[in-house]
Amino acid sequence: MDYGKVLLITIITFALGVLVLPSTLSIFAGEHYWYNLSGTENDVPCVKCHADVYEELQLSAHKNLKCEDCHRANKSITYASVSGSYTNVTPGKEAHAASCVACMMCHQINASQESKVPGPYAGGFNITIFGVSSPYNYSNSTHTGLYEAHNALVAHAIAKANNSTLLLDSTEACLACHANVDIRMNFNVSTGMEIYTSHEILGYDTTTGFNESQIVIDDLRITDFKVITEVKGT
């Protein structure tokens, strides 16, 4: 037996073990760490992945809120929960750690879907006049939002969000004003109009003694659209 080769193989194996074993143990330990997800506290380190969002949060009106105050606050969602011991586990159903949230879930008139910290009411808006619907309360008999200048913006955001991957409900519209991001808005402005008329014969008028007629406007059509871009800076 070549004891030199055996000794060399043993040394190499030991060296590889020294290099690989700590990493293996580290991965194993990290993958099996249980975070406290009880109803009263949450020690998930959200900032580890969302440091940029956290920095924005510190400069916003929501700086005193915790991540879970919005993203684990939907009463219709069962989130994963681990309390005390790893044996006391509730698997998540509609969401595991966190869910996307619409601004109006917390800022509607009656924030009944929100389980944490309902925010001040952000009304009124009238979206029904644009034929869109939302699970959130944008108006009531007192806050009708009938003359709100941003009704179309909010309604359009809801309509788009219902058929795309945009942020939920009217959140895209909320961010247009309430976030420090560049917003580019394109307006289609008409620079012409076509008027369609017909000549109507009324006949002889005994009072005036004239045969009378009138021009009747049948249709008005705006034409010659130009796109005007407005940029809202930070």
Side-chain angles (χ1 to χ4, degrees):
M1 179 180 292
D2 191 338
Y3 291 101
K5 290 183 178 179
V6 173
L7 179 61
L8 179 61
I9 293 174
T10 302
I11 294 174
I12 292 174
T13 303
F14 177 77
L16 289 174
V18 171
L19 292 174
V20 174
L21 187 59
S23 298
T24 304
L25 292 175
S26 177
I27 293 174
F28 183 82
E31 289 181 346
H32 291 77
Y33 180 80
W34 293 87
Y35 292 116
N36 190 325
L37 296 176
S38 67
T40 57
E41 57 183 314
N42 178 7
D43 61 7
V44 173
C46 303
V47 181
K48 181 174 69 175
C49 294
H50 302 290
D52 56 334
V53 178
Y54 177 78
E55 292 298 326
E56 290 182 14
L57 187 66
Q58 300 312 299
L59 300 175
S60 75
H62 299 91
K63 62 183 179 181
N64 293 324
L65 298 181
K66 299 178 181 179
C67 301
E68 61 267 27
D69 290 338
C70 290
H71 295 286
R72 288 177 63 87
N74 193 327
K75 288 183 179 180
S76 66
I77 293 177
T78 298
Y79 301 94
S81 176
V82 181
S83 181
S85 169
Y86 68 88
T87 59
N88 188 12
V89 177
T90 300
K93 294 181 179 179
E94 297 81 4
H96 175 64
S99 64
C100 296
V101 60
C103 295
M104 286 302 286
M105 188 184 79
C106 296
H107 293 284
Q108 60 183 316
I109 294 176
N110 176 20
S112 57
Q113 296 107 315
E114 212 279 337
S115 63
K116 298 285 186 177
V117 188
Y121 170 49
F125 293 98
N126 193 316
I127 61 173
T128 58
I129 58 178
F130 291 93
V132 299
S133 61
S134 169
Y136 309 114
N137 302 316
Y138 282 82
S139 59
N140 60 15
S141 58
T142 302
H143 307 89
T144 63
L146 187 60
Y147 302 108
E148 168 55 42
H150 298 91
N151 281 334
L153 176 65
V154 171
H156 186 69
I158 294 173
K160 287 291 186 180
N162 290 340
N163 297 288
S164 72
T165 57
L166 293 177
L167 297 177
L168 299 179
D169 202 62
S170 63
T171 302
E172 295 276 348
C174 299
L175 291 177
C177 292
H178 297 285
N180 291 327
V181 295
D182 287 335
I183 302 296
R184 183 178 297 271
M185 302 181 69
N186 296 321
F187 297 91
N188 289 322
V189 179
S190 171
T191 59
M193 178 180 290
E194 294 179 352
I195 303 176
Y196 294 83
T197 65
S198 58
H199 186 203
E200 181 180 346
I201 304 297
L202 299 177
Y204 181 77
D205 188 293
T206 57
T207 302
T208 63
F210 294 101
N211 288 316
E212 297 185 348
S213 65
Q214 65 181 11
I215 300 297
V216 178
I217 297 177
D218 299 318
D219 194 12
L220 295 174
R221 299 179 185 177
I222 53 179
T223 61
D224 301 328
F225 287 95
K226 292 184 178 180
V227 177
I228 298 177
T229 301
E230 178 179 323
V231 179
K232 173 185 176 292
T234 56

